[in-house]
Amino acid sequence: MTISLSLQQLCHSYGINTGYRDMNGLTRHASEEALIAVLRSLGAAVNNSMDIPSAQKLKHLQDWQYVCPPVMVFWEGSPPFIHLKLPAYLLGAALPATFVLESGEVREFLWKIEPSTVLEQKTVDGSVYLVARFALSGFLPPGYHQLKVELPGLSHQSLVISVPNQAYNPPSHEGNYWGLFLPLYALHGSSSWGAGNFSDLRRFISWTSSLGGKVVGTLPLLAGFFDTKFGPGPYLPASKQFWNEFYLDIQSIPEFGRYSEAGQLFNSVDCQNQLSVWRKSENVLYEPELKLKRHILEELSQQFWTEKPARFADFEIFLANHPSVLDYAQFRAAGETLGLDWQHWRSNLPADTTGIQKGRNYHAYVQWLAIQQITALKQHSGKSQTLLYMDLPVGVHPFSYDVWKEPDAFATGITCGAPPDPVFTNGQNWEFPPLHPENIRRTGYQYFIRSLRHQLRSCGMLRIDHMMGFHRLFWIPQGMSTRDGVYVNYQAEEFYAILTLESIRHKTVIIGEDLGLVPPEVRPMMQKHAIRRMFVGQFELISDSQMGIIPQKAVAALNTHDMFPFASFWDETDIAQRQNLKLIDEAAAKVELDQRRRTKRELISLLQYQGIFNHLHQDTLATLTAILKLLAGSQAETVLINLEDLWLEQKPQNIPGTTRSQNWSHKARYSFEQFTKHPFILQTLKEIDQIRKKENS
């Protein structure tokens, strides 16, 4: 498909790629219709091909009228030069500038615009502009600073990020971690209501630590919706700035023991019968469990707000220090009263009604409780010297608080996803709106920073979902198929600078999910800034570029939550399941089966070569143990073990590209009390710990 040169140029000026190379190395070209739709969502004044020349002219003029970029990054050791675009008539003038450091210190400059400072000159729409370079004198400490430049009748402001070159690195003697992964909803014990809660996670951390493990990983614990077509997916949160009250341990809430009504409801025959059913279920029954939890939590909330016990003073201080909590609570209450799609009511939100006020009080109260329990979890993991491994989704639910509160931060008429590949031949549509590349810069990335800090305050490791999204995202115009998607570029350096600075301030290790179609510039950038990568053993151990070499600054694992467990992979049952779901056709299944068997033969050869595999015992369990030992004996900084692999689980937690009701709801086959006494699990983890300690000695 051929598009005009003028459209290519316009797309380039907006950071839109008109084509890309797929996983087979073939070039895929975008259609003119898709490109124009993406251009409109970015603010281009274009409705059809006739508008392209005028839109390009306007964009070119706007680019030169920005005196300074909205964001500038100064890495440690780089010369702090400021580049400004100025009208040529200012040549010879003195330009006043004010630099306000994050500390509040004010530095003032008077920059003389002389020929020696001019790097470039250009005529745009009859006006002459120049690019001048000026130096910032004095040491620039790490932080977020503000530069304000005064022109006659106008002032321009820019966020300046000064940052060390690398994200947080733990002390070298603390290397060679190993840890366990399990979604919190899947973790259940004798006191659980069906799904796991924050107290279950605390017990899981203690048990892992007792075996020598230093990392416990889980899926996002962010606020969610459970009554939509999207289901309980943790990667479509209701907000990336608040927690999910579904995971509250209600029985540990102080008010639960104080107010008899809640206790009577919990101890009722109906409630106990429900709990018995949920505990026996193979899947998490979100809606009924959340309904009961909400009923009890509403009782606690209503009495808490009415009686105002001694703890209420702490609650008021919390609300005063976190004003966004009441705003979020009001939004959730309005959505529950008026409908989830806030576009129908945002412009005529009624005054507080009894229902909305009650809902607001409830959501504020449960956020306070969630923060208390998460904070206690963080303190507990610190005492046990175990890192809690959390996950930052790339997007949010289209009806989320975040999109409602900051609509300009998101592109409209667009969803995100991934192009077709050999595994997902139809591509993927993740159903969430992407961040607007320029609007988030104009607001100094405040939304992104808040989302990051929300989780960094509570974890020792943070996984960044779809690290490639810092560089580019696959945009799909609404009404078009995934095959019509277009890649849009972002200012990757600015994302990395913020991530690096926040990582250092919170002393949190950052892991980037660099799986799938990875542009060549992504991994070198991650390495440069000490962002750990992910190494997936099932596929990468025998890849042409690796052949058993596992990188040091990586989290090595057999698989991820988006993959079938090891037993399903090794027994080849995953291929048949995906064929039944029409994710691959019969021909593709045959090709994949042949490739899988080659992969297995090469893995066995590698294990035998490494001397850790007995060729007389090649069953699934023996192979699993051997590969885990190989990972444990590697130089990888962290080895993360999917707990479900240790009992040869066949069911996946999620199958990307599907909307199955079972996604994100499969409970662990064994309860906490059972798997903590399982002989094979205990023996395997003991061996892993010994191997890791040996490598660290």
Side-chain angles (χ1 to χ4, degrees), residues 393-419:
V394 65
V396 287
H397 197 290
F399 299 151
S400 68
Y401 167 79
D402 299 8
V403 181
W404 172 79
K405 183 66 176 177
E406 303 186 57
D408 290 343
F410 298 86
T412 57
I414 297 289
T415 57
C416 280

Side-chain angles (χ1 to χ4, degrees), residues 64 81-86 91 113-122 129-135:
W64 278 91
F81 287 117
I82 303 291
H83 294 79
L84 303 178
K85 294 177 180 177
L86 302 165
L91 188 63
I113 309 170
E114 300 173 331
S116 60
T117 65
V118 176
L119 302 179
E120 182 184 355
Q121 189 165 306
K122 196 175 186 87
Y129 294 86
L130 54 84
V131 177
R133 185 177 75 168
F134 307 98

Side-chain angles (χ1 to χ4, degrees), residues 389-456:
Y389 176 118
M390 288 187 172
D391 198 326
L392 180 71
V394 65
V396 287
H397 197 290
F399 299 151
S400 68
Y401 167 79
D402 299 8
V403 181
W404 172 79
K405 183 66 176 177
E406 303 186 57
D408 290 343
F410 298 86
T412 57
I414 297 289
T415 57
C416 280
D421 61 41
V423 178
F424 304 103
T425 55
N426 294 321
Q428 300 176 60
N429 189 330
W430 299 330
E431 303 281 0
F432 61 76
L435 290 173
H436 191 293
E438 283 304 309
N439 287 356
I440 56 173
R441 299 182 75 213
R442 295 187 187 113
T443 58
Y445 289 95
Q446 286 303 305
Y447 167 68
F448 176 65
I449 293 171
R450 285 196 300 272
S451 300
L452 259 183
R453 288 175 176 170
H454 175 67
Q455 299 216 70
L456 289 174

